């Protein structure tokens, strides 16, 4: 929102970890030591622009849930921006 880059919407980014069955948005380094997932998402309030990360052979359902959790937080961040 403050950059001179011509973007029509605000863009936000989040990191999602998975410890046990709990999805953690923007986890601490200590939480990431026990995480089965390290997923970085960037996007707007209505779209995901970038997904990057790795996981410990997770089922597709868990990965999709992590993307959903991250999108909800990114959407609220974009609205606040």
């Amino acid at each position: 929102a403050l950059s001179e880059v011509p973007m029509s919407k605000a863009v936000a980014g989040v990191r999602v970890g998975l410890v046990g069955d709990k999805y953690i948005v923007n986890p601490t380094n200590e939480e990431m030591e026990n995480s089965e997932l390290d997923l970085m998402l960037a996007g707007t309030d209505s779209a995901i622009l970038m997904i990057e990360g790795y996981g410990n052979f997770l089922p597709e359902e868990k990965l999709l849930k992590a993307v959903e959790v991250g999108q909800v937080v990114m959407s609220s961040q974009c609205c606040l921006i």
Side-chain angles (χ1 to χ4, degrees):
L2 298 175
S3 170
E4 293 179 11
V5 175
M7 296 292 290
S8 62
K9 290 185 165 192
V11 177
V14 295
R15 184 179 193 183
V16 180
L18 177 62
V19 178
D21 286 331
K22 183 179 178 186
Y23 294 92
I24 303 171
V25 177
N26 297 327
T28 64
N29 289 333
E30 292 79 23
E31 291 170 325
M32 285 306 296
E33 289 177 7
N34 299 316
S35 180
E36 297 181 70
L37 177 67
D38 187 359
L39 189 68
M40 298 292 295
L41 302 166
T44 66
D45 61 342
S46 60
I48 296 174
L49 303 175
M50 187 268 315
I51 299 175
E52 183 177 322
Y54 60 91
N56 191 17
F57 296 103
L58 296 173
E60 186 176 323
E61 295 81 22
K62 286 189 176 185
L63 184 57
L64 289 174
K65 179 66 176 174
V67 172
E68 289 175 14
V69 168
Q71 175 61 30
V72 168
V73 174
M74 279 191 309
S75 179
S76 65
Q77 287 177 346
C78 288
C79 290
L80 290 173
I81 292 172

